[in-house]
């Protein structure tokens, strides 16, 4: 059987697998140093699923700290490339984060709605501290004044897939971040 080359569906590779690994190692060091300098030895990672799972899996192994893990699931996109409405929490975290040092991790900061909403929801659970980390930042698209505490790469305003990010649930398993070929973006023929 011939194999499918997901890479053929990309117009351009924005961040290679090697660049991802290198930057994530740096982020791991920066985050570890920050908390160690504060005398904090344990944090709670809250991963925004599904998009951040590949990033979180790699990042957490670069942290030289105790790191508990919980997930939160949000819906703000339909199966196309434009946000529908306000992000909605479909599955909340199970852990009691009161008094914990929480690091909220998402794949990409776009308009800022998702992180802004999640930060306000998590703050109500009274964590001792709450910081945010995103792999990608599309600064140009921000409609909310929001900045992540840690960001991997600033990228241009294109719809990207790979390394956890999807289009209509596809391409999460690409090992790099790339721009999907425009003719594949809308409407998705496999839906
Ligand atoms: P925001 O709420 O507009 O900041 O969007 C954040 C969410 O939108 C992320 O968690 C992603 O799931 C999704 N998103 C934004 N831009 C892209 C993209 O280029 N590719 C895939 N998903 C994206
Ligand atoms: Mg997402």
């Amino acid at each position: 059987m011939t194999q499918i080359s997901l890479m053929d569906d990309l117009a351009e590779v924005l961040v290679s697998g090697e660049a991802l690994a290198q930057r994530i190692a740096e982020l791991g060091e920066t985050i570890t140093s920050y908390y160690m300098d504060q005398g904090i030895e344990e944090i709670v990672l809250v991963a925004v699923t599904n998009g951040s799972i590949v990033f979180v899996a790699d990042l957490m192994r670069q942290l030289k700290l105790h790191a508990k893990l919980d997930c939160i699931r949000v819906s703000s996109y339909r199966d196309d490339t434009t946000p529908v409405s306000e992000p909605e929490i479909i599955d909340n975290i199970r852990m009691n984060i009161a008094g914990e040092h929480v690091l909220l991790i998402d794949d990409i900061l776009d308009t800022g709605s998702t992180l802004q909403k999640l930060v306000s929801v998590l703050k109500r659970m009274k964590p001792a501290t709450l910081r945010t980390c995103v792999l990608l930042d599309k600064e140009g698209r921000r409609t909310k004044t929001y900045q992540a505490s840690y960001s991997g790469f600033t990228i241009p305003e294109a719809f990207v897939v790979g390394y956890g990010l999807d289009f209509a649930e596809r391409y999460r398993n690409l090992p790099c971040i790339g721009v999907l070929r425009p003719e594949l973006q809308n409407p998705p023929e496999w839906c």
Side-chain angles (χ1 to χ4, degrees):
M1 201 167 70
T2 48
Q3 292 182 350
I4 290 177
S5 173
L6 299 177
M7 296 295 278
D8 290 348
D9 290 357
L10 298 183
E12 186 192 347
V13 172
L14 277 188
V15 190
S16 68
E18 294 74 27
L20 284 164
Q22 197 190 334
R23 181 71 185 121
I24 289 165
E26 279 172 18
L27 278 175
E29 270 184 39
T30 307
I31 294 169
T32 301
S33 306
Y34 172 82
Y35 286 106
M36 293 310 278
D37 289 351
Q38 312 284 314
I40 297 166
E41 293 181 2
E42 179 176 274
I43 62 175
V44 175
L45 308 176
V46 174
V48 184
T49 54
N50 293 332
S52 77
I53 61 161
V54 181
F55 176 41
V56 172
D58 283 345
L59 179 66
M60 70 188 297
R61 284 177 287 174
Q62 299 294 331
L63 298 176
K64 311 284 186 296
L65 297 161
H66 294 293
K68 298 178 184 170
L69 176 67
D70 206 342
C71 296
I72 195 162
R73 183 187 287 255
V74 179
S75 140
S76 60
Y77 272 70
R78 274 185 309 228
D79 286 340
D80 55 26
T81 57
T82 38
V84 228
S85 53
E86 274 295 285
E88 211 185 299
I89 294 174
I90 311 172
D91 259 318
N92 212 330
I93 53 169
R94 302 287 190 272
M95 207 178 282
N96 177 5
I97 57 164
E100 301 278 359
H101 298 281
V102 173
L103 182 62
L104 175 64
I105 306 176
D106 203 358
D107 49 5
I108 185 165
L109 188 50
D110 187 18
T111 64
S113 309
T114 306
L115 272 202
Q116 197 183 50
K117 163 99 187 210
L118 292 181
V119 162
S120 79
V121 167
L122 294 179
K123 268 192 180 153
R124 275 185 251 137
M125 301 180 193
K126 303 271 187 281
T129 62
L130 177 56
R131 293 176 74 78
T132 53
C133 177
V134 293
L135 177 63
L136 306 171
D137 187 351
K138 272 194 228 172
E139 266 176 355
R141 297 236 322 145
R142 201 82 86 255
T143 57
K144 319 265 175 179
T145 43
Y146 196 85
Q147 241 195 310
S149 318
Y150 306 100
S151 158
F153 299 89
T154 299
I155 59 162
E157 296 176 31
F159 191 81
V160 294
V161 294
Y163 200 73
L165 290 106
D166 74 306
F167 171 63
E169 294 303 326
R170 283 188 173 182
Y171 305 108
R172 293 194 197 274
N173 53 325
L174 264 172
C176 60
I177 302 281
V179 181
L180 195 58
R181 281 182 13 221
E183 67 271 25
L184 293 173
Q185 286 188 18
N186 216 4
E189 75 219 16
W190 61 87
C191 280

